[in-house]
Amino acid sequence: MATGSERSRMIAAQDGHRVTPAELFFDLVFVYAITQVTALMADDTTPLRILGGLVVLALLWWCWCCFAWLGNVVRADSGALFAVLVAVMAVMMVVLLTVPEVFSDRPGGLDAPLVFVLCYGAVRLLHLVSYRIAHPDDRALHATLRRTALLSVGPPLVLLLIGSALTGVAQVLVWLGAVVIDYVGIFVTGASGWRIASPGHSAERHGLIVIIALGESIVAIGVGVSGYPVTAAVLAAAVAGLLVVTGLWRLYFRQFSEAAEHRLAPLEGDDRTRLGRDVYTFLHLPLVAGVVLAALGMKKALHQVADAGHYALSEPLHGIAAWALTGGVGVFLLGAAAIVVRIGGPRPVTLITGGALCLVAGAVVVLVPALLAVALLAAAVTAMVALHGRTASRAVLKQS
């Protein structure tokens, strides 16, 4: 049983540390986060709203990453960190409740954009303070925390506050600027002071958030057909959508997530930190963003297939939803290719080519029936993943 002093302090994690139930509990909030971002974009499928949704996703991703890194060096299931996580969950719930109004505040009630920004700032502050308390004698980390506050937290928070008073294009662009400064600021502060105690924990933690994002795609399929009769076309579209998700799952968990962990494990110090930062913090964001965009496209496609009263089966998807369906998969594939390159894997020619083609395939999606578009995407993803797997296997055999 933990003593009173153990419950009131941060307890360091050891090498080989794995994800704890407390962290899984923490992630439940981010299940809701991804759902809210998808709904935000689906509510107004214009290019500006899609960009705004991605900006919100990038901010929420940063909140998750902060405590994923902290949970790698401090145990989340004992000591004071669990209390911190519960506090962050409470603040994040407030953030997520404001997401539907973050770009179109409804009359009455609180100012949703301002509440969003203030709570986001509170989460970032809790992260820095928690790191400082957890490592009271680490001067290198303290210097990095100061640089992070000055470069990656303070200036973006000012821009977010300014943007919360604006509307439309101005708000989205100011917030986008805040995100860019935030991410560049983290890169500029460098790796000194940050630590990855357990590569296995990092790999498992980020794999779980990818699972959460893929789960949102499956939920989107169900939401898209909810309230409509189950027809043969609906069943075919749902199965095709599931095959798309399956292909992305297979690519991630069977073809490069384990390789990334193995590449990280033998490294030490700042080299390990830099690789972990690039692969997990920076390059996993396109994976999650790609899944969210694809989920939006599938939701719209399945809705159109199911709603026979307003859409004929021969009618294609239109507008931004057509791009999101294939473009989201393209973003995922290109993010996966970047990870393979960063860990020194075989050249991912198939992923790069397939990703680029998916990004421009929206021009074809608007010409073919929505059901056929989902089916063709499922076939393409399945083929690309299989081809990449065979190509990578041959490259490994040649190297050995």
Side-chain angles (χ1 to χ4, degrees):
M1 181 178 295
T3 65
S5 61
E6 288 176 330
R7 288 192 294 267
S8 62
R9 63 183 176 87
M10 303 284 188
I11 299 175
Q14 303 300 320
D15 188 18
H17 171 57
R18 308 301 292 191
V19 174
T20 64
E23 291 169 289
L24 298 178
F25 179 58
F26 178 73
D27 284 353
L28 293 178
V29 173
F30 289 89
V31 174
Y32 184 43
I34 294 176
T35 300
Q36 285 288 76
V37 171
T38 305
L40 176 68
M41 295 189 291
D43 183 59
D44 181 21
T45 50
T46 61
L48 181 63
R49 177 56 63 87
I50 299 300
L51 177 60
L54 292 176
V55 167
V56 170
L57 178 64
L59 293 170
L60 297 177
W61 172 254
W62 213 237
C63 293
W64 182 86
C65 283
C66 285
F67 289 91
W69 277 73
L70 182 58
N72 188 275
V73 294
V74 179
R75 292 196 63 89
D77 57 348
S78 55
L81 183 55
F82 181 70
V84 173
L85 291 183
V86 173
V88 171
M89 289 176 71
V91 177
M92 285 303 303
M93 277 301 299
V94 177
V95 169
L96 298 178
L97 289 172
T98 66
V99 166
E101 300 180 52
V102 78
F103 296 120
S104 55
D105 189 33
R106 301 187 186 108
L110 300 174
D111 185 327
L114 179 61
V115 172
F116 178 95
V117 173
L118 292 177
C119 290
Y120 170 79
V123 171
R124 295 298 300 275
L125 180 62
L126 278 170
H127 169 249
L128 295 178
V129 171
S130 297
Y131 249 107
R132 178 64 175 79
I133 293 173
H135 302 84
D137 301 319
D138 191 335
R139 293 185 178 181
L141 175 62
H142 297 172
T144 300
L145 292 176
R146 287 193 293 272
R147 291 196 301 271
T148 301
L150 292 173
L151 295 176
S152 183
V153 177
L157 187 57
V158 171
L159 284 179
L160 290 173
L161 286 170
I162 293 172
S164 69
L166 305 173
T167 58
V169 176
Q171 180 187 2
V172 173
L173 291 181
V174 170
W175 279 20
L176 176 61
V179 169
V180 171
I181 292 173
D182 198 347
Y183 280 65
V184 171
I186 286 294
F187 189 84
V188 170
T189 56
S192 178
W194 304 115
R195 296 287 183 271
I196 296 179
S198 172
H201 177 276
S202 290
E204 186 179 3
R205 196 85 172 85
H206 288 80
L208 289 170
I209 203 68
V210 171
I211 283 287
I212 287 173
L214 292 174
E216 170 58 30
S217 293
I218 295 175
V219 170
I221 293 172
V223 171
V225 302
S226 178
Y228 296 100
V230 177
T231 63
V234 167
L235 294 178
V239 170
L242 181 61
L243 289 176
V244 173
V245 179
T246 301
L248 300 183
W249 176 90
R250 182 182 173 190
L251 174 63
Y252 182 86
F253 288 98
R254 293 291 179 84
Q255 298 187 11
F256 69 82
S257 66
E258 189 173 327
E261 179 183 351
H262 289 167
R263 179 71 179 86
L264 190 66
L267 300 179
E268 297 180 354
D270 291 351
D271 290 337
R272 176 185 282 188
T273 302
R274 277 191 290 269
L275 182 64
R277 175 199 63 194
D278 295 347
V279 169
Y280 293 118
T281 300
F282 289 155
L283 295 179
H284 269 60
L285 176 58
L287 303 184
V288 175
V291 173
V292 169
L293 288 171
L296 171 66
M298 282 194 281
K299 180 179 180 179
K300 293 293 184 179
L302 268 292
H303 171 78
Q304 192 164 304
V305 170
D307 189 2
H310 294 88
Y311 302 97
L313 274 180
S314 60
E315 188 168 345
L317 278 174
H318 298 292
I320 200 69
W323 176 87
L325 179 64
T326 59
V329 172
V331 171
F332 187 99
L333 295 176
L334 292 176
I339 290 175
V340 172
V341 171
R342 182 64 180 87
I343 63 177
R347 287 184 299 175
V349 177
T350 302
L351 297 182
I352 294 172
T353 304
L357 290 175
C358 283
L359 284 181
V360 300
V364 176
V365 173
V366 298
L367 301 176
V368 302
L371 174 57
L372 180 59
V374 179
L376 290 174
L377 180 61
V381 169
T382 301
M384 282 187 289
V385 172
L387 179 59
H388 171 71
R390 286 197 294 269
T391 303
S393 297
R394 287 197 296 267
V396 170
L397 289 174
K398 287 181 180 179
Q399 292 175 357
S400 59

